[in-house]
Amino acid sequence: MEYSGNGRPVPRDMPGLVRQAEVARQIAQLKEEIDQLQEAIASHAVIDQAIGVVISLGKLCPEQGFEVLRTVSQHTNTKLRKVAALIVNWPGGGPLPDAVHQALEQALTEVGSS
């Protein structure tokens, strides 16, 4: 007797359908994983760009730049990737909410004085 991926016995006339269903489930799972990885790559790129903007503004090293982003994210209760996107768009005329702007100035001051 054959068994499905979850350990249940499969009737003799059903193995092809079960295999197809299992393959379809695996394909859906892999597509979801690919989507998550693509989103992570895009987020990472924006965060890296924002670090560049921050280190340029504050004459900091990259580690300090990331710390500034993290601090702004925490103080404004805004996801890091959202803060990064706002900061990347800001030099080109994009809006920077007051709370993010104030938190950025404060974080730059704190990192610069340490």
Side-chain angles (χ1 to χ4, degrees):
M1 175 153 295
E2 290 192 47
Y3 292 88
S4 69
N6 62 11
R8 294 187 181 132
V10 177
R12 291 190 189 277
D13 59 340
M14 298 278 299
L17 293 175
V18 170
R19 283 190 201 102
Q20 287 177 355
E22 179 64 18
V23 167
R25 186 191 64 75
Q26 289 175 345
I27 288 171
Q29 184 179 7
L30 290 170
K31 283 182 179 179
E32 183 178 334
E33 188 176 331
I34 288 168
D35 290 344
Q36 290 171 351
L37 290 171
Q38 287 174 331
E39 185 177 330
I41 289 169
S43 292
H44 189 74
V46 170
I47 290 168
D48 283 347
Q49 292 169 5
I51 289 171
V53 171
V54 170
I55 64 177
S56 157
L57 283 171
K59 298 180 173 83
L60 308 172
C61 69
E63 294 80 20
Q64 291 172 311
F66 180 77
E67 184 60 32
V68 166
L69 287 180
R70 194 171 67 86
T71 300
V72 171
S73 172
Q74 290 174 344
H75 283 97
T76 61
N77 197 26
T78 306
K79 291 197 177 283
L80 183 70
R81 67 179 174 266
K82 175 69 175 171
V83 168
L86 289 167
I87 289 174
V88 166
N89 292 323
W90 179 45
L96 192 62
D98 288 339
V100 173
H101 191 253
Q102 290 171 1
L104 177 60
E105 286 182 355
Q106 182 179 354
L108 284 169
T109 300
E110 289 172 5
V111 169
S113 66
S114 60

